[in-house]
Amino acid sequence: MLENADTADGSAADFWSLAKTLWTLLSGQNYPLPGEYHPDPAYSLRSWTVYPWVDALDLLIRRCTRLAPDKRPSMAHFAEELRNCMAEPPEIASDADAEVLRKRLASLTDPTRQTLRAAQEERQRLEELATDLAAFDLEVQTLIDGMLGGNLQQWENAHPSHVNSFQERSAWSLMRHMLYQSPGDPSRVWVWWLMNARIPNGGADRTGREEMTLDIDLRVIHRHDGLEHASYVLHESFSAPLGSATFARILESAKALVAGSEKDLLTEVTRIAALPDDHVPEWFPSTASE
């Protein structure tokens, strides 16, 4: 500017001077900083004022004091930045008609939302029920294994032949089973444990609470030449409203019933295991036909 005063564009110098003046006014200092402005912590406007747009003004002053004049903003941009910093934030008007429409939308979607909430609560309730029953089943399996002294091998993936008698139509069901089999090929004696919990269709009591039916089945299977015979069967069914104290009690009662069968179970398992290899049981068809 000093070297080419006759031909230089003075507007760039105006930006420089205006930015320096702005910094002096906002910082409360008597003189502006020399040279190009760098908003370091010691000289930033934030050190002198709590004005909410102080960071934007620091940036504006820095751009206006760049050493290269062509890198400085225009006066229009400078004015626009100041107006935006000084302007009040726009008010968000409350539209009464919009509120009416929101209430209308809420009333239209409320039945569906209630249905979805009820379905979610039902899924959660059944998941909790399944967790409780799985814990009960594991306790009983451990109990049976202890009753057998760990002498029979467990097979979780085996499918009991009598399982179809428990598969009734129901709104919800959970079946779990475990096979304990004696060593040897073929295995002579099996012990089956089966638990089937179900909520029948329309299974509500007089108070409207859903009832759950729990079937437990513990049996000793004598196997001979490819055929099976249930020589001991412990079967019991329990029913109770879900979430009731009675429901919690039937799990305890079922477990106690299994524990009480220990002597009869062991007697039958031991009897079959002690039979000689050439023994033909009385229930076998060839024996029955003679």
Side-chain angles (χ1 to χ4, degrees):
M1 181 70 184
L2 293 176
E3 295 177 357
N4 303 290
D6 295 337
T7 59
D9 182 7
S11 61
D14 293 339
F15 300 148
W16 176 288
S17 300
L18 188 56
K20 294 288 186 176
T21 302
L22 181 62
W23 184 90
T24 303
L25 292 173
L26 291 175
S27 65
Q29 303 303 300
N30 294 326
Y31 301 100
L33 295 171
E36 184 175 357
Y37 176 66
H38 294 282
D40 298 327
Y43 305 111
S44 169
L45 289 176
R46 186 173 291 279
S47 303
W48 312 98
T49 181
V50 293
Y51 188 69
W53 294 98
V54 65
D55 292 332
L57 291 172
D58 262 335
L59 179 60
L60 178 62
I61 295 172
R62 180 178 182 179
R63 294 175 62 195
C64 289
T65 58
R66 286 174 177 167
L67 295 180
D70 59 336
K71 300 296 183 181
R72 299 169 192 169
S74 66
M75 187 61 75
H77 178 77
F78 191 98
E80 182 182 8
E81 282 291 289
L82 289 183
R83 281 195 297 269
N84 287 330
C85 289
M86 297 171 61
E88 294 290 334
E91 293 185 4
I92 300 177
S94 177
D95 192 334
D97 292 338
E99 184 61 27
V100 171
L101 291 173
R102 275 191 291 272
K103 291 181 179 179
R104 175 61 175 160
L105 178 61
S107 66
L108 291 172
T109 58
D110 185 63
T112 302
R113 287 185 285 111
Q114 288 186 5
T115 301
L116 292 175
R117 280 196 299 269
Q120 183 177 3
E121 292 172 358
E122 178 69 6
R123 284 194 299 271
Q124 182 177 353
R125 184 174 66 94
L126 293 178
E127 288 174 0
E128 292 173 354
L129 174 61
T131 299
D132 292 341
L133 290 171
F136 160 75
D137 175 66
L138 182 59
E139 290 178 2
V140 174
Q141 289 185 21
T142 303
L143 173 64
I144 296 173
D145 188 51
M147 290 162 54
L148 296 171
N151 295 303
L152 273 63
Q153 189 173 6
Q154 297 185 32
W155 293 92
E156 184 176 7
N157 295 326
H159 193 72
S161 58
H162 58 288
V163 70
N164 293 333
S165 61
F166 296 93
Q167 293 178 334
E168 300 180 9
R169 295 181 62 86
S170 56
W172 178 89
S173 64
L174 176 68
M175 180 180 292
R176 298 174 72 96
H177 46 74
M178 178 64 73
L179 168 65
Y180 306 80
Q181 67 175 39
S182 61
D185 187 18
S187 176
R188 179 182 299 173
V189 57
W190 287 0
V191 175
W192 271 113
W193 157 253
L194 186 145
M195 176 207 78
N196 183 46
R198 65 187 188 279
I199 300 175
N201 291 318
D205 62 9
R206 288 177 296 179
T207 65
R209 293 183 299 179
E210 282 187 305
E211 286 215 352
M212 188 202 73
T213 299
L214 175 67
D215 296 315
I216 63 168
D217 191 270
L218 179 64
R219 59 183 62 193
V220 177
I221 304 295
H222 185 181
R223 303 180 71 246
H224 181 79
D225 200 15
L227 296 182
E228 301 176 3
H229 172 72
S231 60
Y232 171 80
V233 176
L234 171 66
H235 181 88
E236 191 67 47
S237 293
F238 304 87
S239 293
L242 290 177
S244 65
T246 305
F247 170 72
R249 289 295 183 187
I250 67 172
L251 298 182
E252 298 176 1
S253 299
K255 184 177 177 181
L257 192 63
V258 172
S261 70
E262 181 176 25
K263 182 178 179 180
D264 294 338
L265 180 74
L266 282 174
T267 298
E268 189 60 20
V269 170
T270 304
R271 182 189 70 80
I272 298 173
L275 294 174
D277 293 339
D278 58 354
H279 174 78
V280 179
E282 64 279 2
W283 53 265
F284 196 70
S286 61
T287 304
S289 61
E290 292 178 357

